């Protein structure tokens, strides 16, 4: 989202941004029916001729916004731009960029795939370029793996190496702490926060920019208006103690984790939690995803179905690597979340229960081998 926001700002300054839509479940911006009208409105503010064409479309068919998304996309975006290209080419000398961020947070899974299909089907017909940002949701990855998409779609995975990630997190902390310190310069000393506390946060973040961002947001929360007090509460939390007050400094990250787990179908959630329990307890044991599945007595279909919604928090190796690479969580904060009942709630992973299950599976494993 940070990348998408930066690109949007840069293209807006260059007068090349057509529209943007940032999905967000926490902010209740997850309705797929809002996307096309929002894009149409924003495009209309950029191009006077397009606005005139679209206005006439709405006058001619007052029920067009009640029609399906495919019809709206074709009649309110594609056809008007075809007219622009043929009748008013001077108004579209360069393609405009449209950004869809957080597509995985759209509440309708089928709609997510529909948007990609619509864009792919018409991408070469009009002077529009699309930037779609999403966590690696299983269904979206399946759609994008279709060879037909490779003609019009280029996929980039943000995969930052550990050293780069560490430097990025440290830079973020330096910059944001400096902003907080300057804002509260009448209360905070010039060496705030102490170096060891800054190092502690950077160390635990392990290059996870989202983690660092949530911590900084908590410390600089203007509603509390007490950055030093918030910092102390944060350090207490990171040491394993309790914070004062009802809000955890990681509540935003916790919301993200709960959202991901909420997408797991209820009828397979227990299997998903068993797999997560194994991943957390047996960190350096079983050597491959296939071994992990066999250890739990799960066939490959059930095993992968239980993990299909967790690709943003758990590395699930592709089938061709399943014999050599095990599952693992991307960041320790996810394990910490699962093992803290106050944070994870209904998704709490009881370590003792997981150990018991692990021990039983060990007995079955040895008996069968």
């Amino acid at each position: 989202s940070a990348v998408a926001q930066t690109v949007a700002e840069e293209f807006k300054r260059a007068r090349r941004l057509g529209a943007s839509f940032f999905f967000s479940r926490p902010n209740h911006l997850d309705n797929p029916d809002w996307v096309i009208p929002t894009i149409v409105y924003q495009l209309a503010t950029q191009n006077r001729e397009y606005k005139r064409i679209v206005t006439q479309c709405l006058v001619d068919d007052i029920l067009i916004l009640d029609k399906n998304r495919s019809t709206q996309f074709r009649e309110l975006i594609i056809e008007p731009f075809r007219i622009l290209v043929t009748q008013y080419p001077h108004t579209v000398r360069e393609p405009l960029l449209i950004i869809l961020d957080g597509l995985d947070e759209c509440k309708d899974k089928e709609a997510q795939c529909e948007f990609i299909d619509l864009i792919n089907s018409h991408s070469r017909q009009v002077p529009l370029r699309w930037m779609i940002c999403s966590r690696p949701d299983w269904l979206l990855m399946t759609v994008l793996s279709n060879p037909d998409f490779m003609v019009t779609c280029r996929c980039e995975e943000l995969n930052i190496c550990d050293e780069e990630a560490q430097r990025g997190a440290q830079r973020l902390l330096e910059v944001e702490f400096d902003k907080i310190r300057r804002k509260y310069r009448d209360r905070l000393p010039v060496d705030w926060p102490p170096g060891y506390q800054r190092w502690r946060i950077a160390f635990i973040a392990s290059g996870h920019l989202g983690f660092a961002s949530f911590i900084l947001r908590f410390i600089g929360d203007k509603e509390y208006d007490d950055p030093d007090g918030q910092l102390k509460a944060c350090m207490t939390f990171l040491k394993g103690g309790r914070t004062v007050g009802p809000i955890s400094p990681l509540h935003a990250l916790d919301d993200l984790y709960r959202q991901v787990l909420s997408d797991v179908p209820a009828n397979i959630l227990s299997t998903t939690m068993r797999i997560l329990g194994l991943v957390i307890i047996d960190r350096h044991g079983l050597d491959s995803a296939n071994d992990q599945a066999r250890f739990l007595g799960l066939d490959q279909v059930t095993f992968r179905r239980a993990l299909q919604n967790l690709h943003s928090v758990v590395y699930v190796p592709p089938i061709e690597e399943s014999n050599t690479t095990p599952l693992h969580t991307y960041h320790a904060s996810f394990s910490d979340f699962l093992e803290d009942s106050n944070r994870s709630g209904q998704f709490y992973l009881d370590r003792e229960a997981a150990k018991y299950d692990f021990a039983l599976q060990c007995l079955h494993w040895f008996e069968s081998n």
Side-chain angles (χ1 to χ4, degrees):
S1 292
V3 172
Q5 185 63 46
T6 300
V7 171
E9 292 169 358
E10 290 290 336
F11 272 71
K12 185 175 182 179
R13 279 193 287 270
R15 297 182 181 277
R16 295 284 304 282
L17 181 66
S20 61
F21 191 97
F22 287 74
F23 287 95
S24 173
R25 289 187 191 175
N27 293 322
H28 306 294
L29 295 173
D30 58 356
N31 190 332
D33 293 335
W34 297 346
V35 176
I36 294 175
T38 300
I39 290 174
V40 170
Y41 171 77
Q42 292 182 27
L43 286 170
T45 65
Q46 306 294 321
N47 188 302
R48 183 178 302 174
E49 295 301 331
Y50 172 82
K51 179 180 180 179
R52 185 183 63 77
I53 295 168
V54 166
T55 299
Q56 189 60 49
C57 288
L58 295 171
V59 170
D60 293 341
D61 185 356
I62 60 174
L63 298 178
I64 193 169
L65 294 179
D66 294 326
K67 294 182 177 180
N68 60 50
R69 285 184 289 270
S70 178
T71 300
Q72 291 182 32
F73 188 84
R74 185 180 64 255
E75 296 187 9
L76 295 178
I77 296 179
I78 301 304
E79 292 303 327
F81 265 88
R82 281 177 174 167
I83 295 173
L84 285 179
V85 170
T86 56
Q87 298 184 18
Y88 309 98
H90 63 282
T91 67
V92 285
R93 292 192 178 94
E94 295 180 300
L96 295 174
L97 177 68
I98 298 178
I99 297 175
L100 296 182
D101 177 66
L103 183 59
D104 56 291
E105 295 197 30
C106 174
K107 67 181 180 181
D108 185 335
K109 295 288 185 182
E110 295 301 322
Q112 296 175 16
C113 298
E114 182 184 14
F115 283 128
I116 293 179
D117 279 330
L118 287 172
I119 293 167
N120 183 65
S121 299
H122 300 285
S123 61
R124 292 194 169 192
Q125 300 175 15
V126 293
L128 295 174
R129 300 293 179 266
W130 299 77
M131 176 179 176
I132 303 172
C133 302
S134 173
R135 292 195 299 273
D137 180 273
W138 172 83
L139 187 59
L140 290 177
M141 297 301 288
T142 301
V143 172
L144 291 173
S145 67
N146 187 327
D148 292 341
F149 283 94
M150 296 303 102
V151 178
T152 56
C153 175
R154 175 177 173 178
C155 296
E156 290 286 348
E157 182 178 353
L158 294 184
N159 187 13
I160 303 172
C161 74
D162 290 344
E163 290 185 6
E164 290 176 335
Q166 288 281 9
R167 287 195 294 270
Q170 290 170 358
R171 283 195 298 270
L172 177 64
L173 290 168
E174 290 288 341
V175 170
E176 295 304 318
F177 275 138
D178 185 59
K179 288 181 181 178
I180 295 172
R181 187 170 55 248
R182 283 189 278 110
K183 181 179 179 180
Y184 294 93
R185 57 181 176 270
D186 58 330
R187 303 189 217 170
L188 301 174
V190 293
D191 60 348
W192 183 93
Y196 74 91
Q197 293 183 337
R198 190 177 309 171
W199 177 87
R200 176 69 175 167
I201 294 173
F203 175 77
I204 294 176
S206 300
H208 193 297
L209 289 176
F211 184 99
S213 297
F214 295 140
I215 291 291
L216 288 163
R217 190 180 306 159
F218 176 79
I219 294 171
D221 192 332
K222 62 183 180 181
E223 296 298 323
Y224 284 86
D225 200 34
D226 181 16
D228 195 50
Q230 293 293 91
L231 175 63
K232 291 175 181 175
C234 177
M235 298 310 298
T236 300
F237 181 88
L238 295 179
K239 290 176 183 177
R242 293 185 175 275
T243 58
V244 177
I247 300 179
S248 156
L250 298 182
H251 68 278
L253 189 60
D254 292 351
D255 285 344
L256 175 61
Y257 288 151
R258 279 191 292 268
Q259 172 189 310
V260 170
L261 289 166
S262 295
D263 287 338
V264 177
N267 63 348
I268 204 168
L269 179 61
S270 60
T271 302
T272 302
M273 298 306 293
R274 285 188 68 214
I275 297 172
L276 291 175
L278 175 64
V279 170
I280 291 170
I281 291 173
D282 186 47
R283 295 181 189 277
H284 305 291
L286 297 166
D287 295 327
S288 71
N290 283 348
D291 284 345
Q292 291 169 319
R294 284 193 292 267
F295 181 81
L296 292 172
L298 300 173
D299 61 75
Q300 283 298 314
V301 173
T302 302
F303 185 71
R304 290 192 169 270
R305 179 167 172 260
L307 295 166
Q308 68 183 30
N309 293 93
L310 300 186
H311 285 247
S312 59
V313 291
V314 175
Y315 176 71
V316 182
I319 293 176
E320 60 270 19
E321 297 178 14
S322 294
N323 281 319
T324 57
T325 308
L327 306 177
H328 64 80
T329 58
Y330 281 113
H331 194 264
S333 63
F334 184 53
S335 304
D336 295 340
F337 162 81
L338 290 171
E339 294 188 73
D340 187 335
S341 60
N342 291 321
R343 296 172 61 191
S344 53
Q346 71 183 95
F347 302 111
Y348 170 57
L349 184 64
D350 187 328
R351 176 172 277 268
E352 294 306 312
K355 283 182 177 179
Y356 180 72
D357 183 35
F358 182 76
L360 286 178
Q361 292 303 320
C362 281
L363 288 175
H364 294 316
W365 178 269
F366 288 131
E367 288 174 358
S368 61
N369 291 276

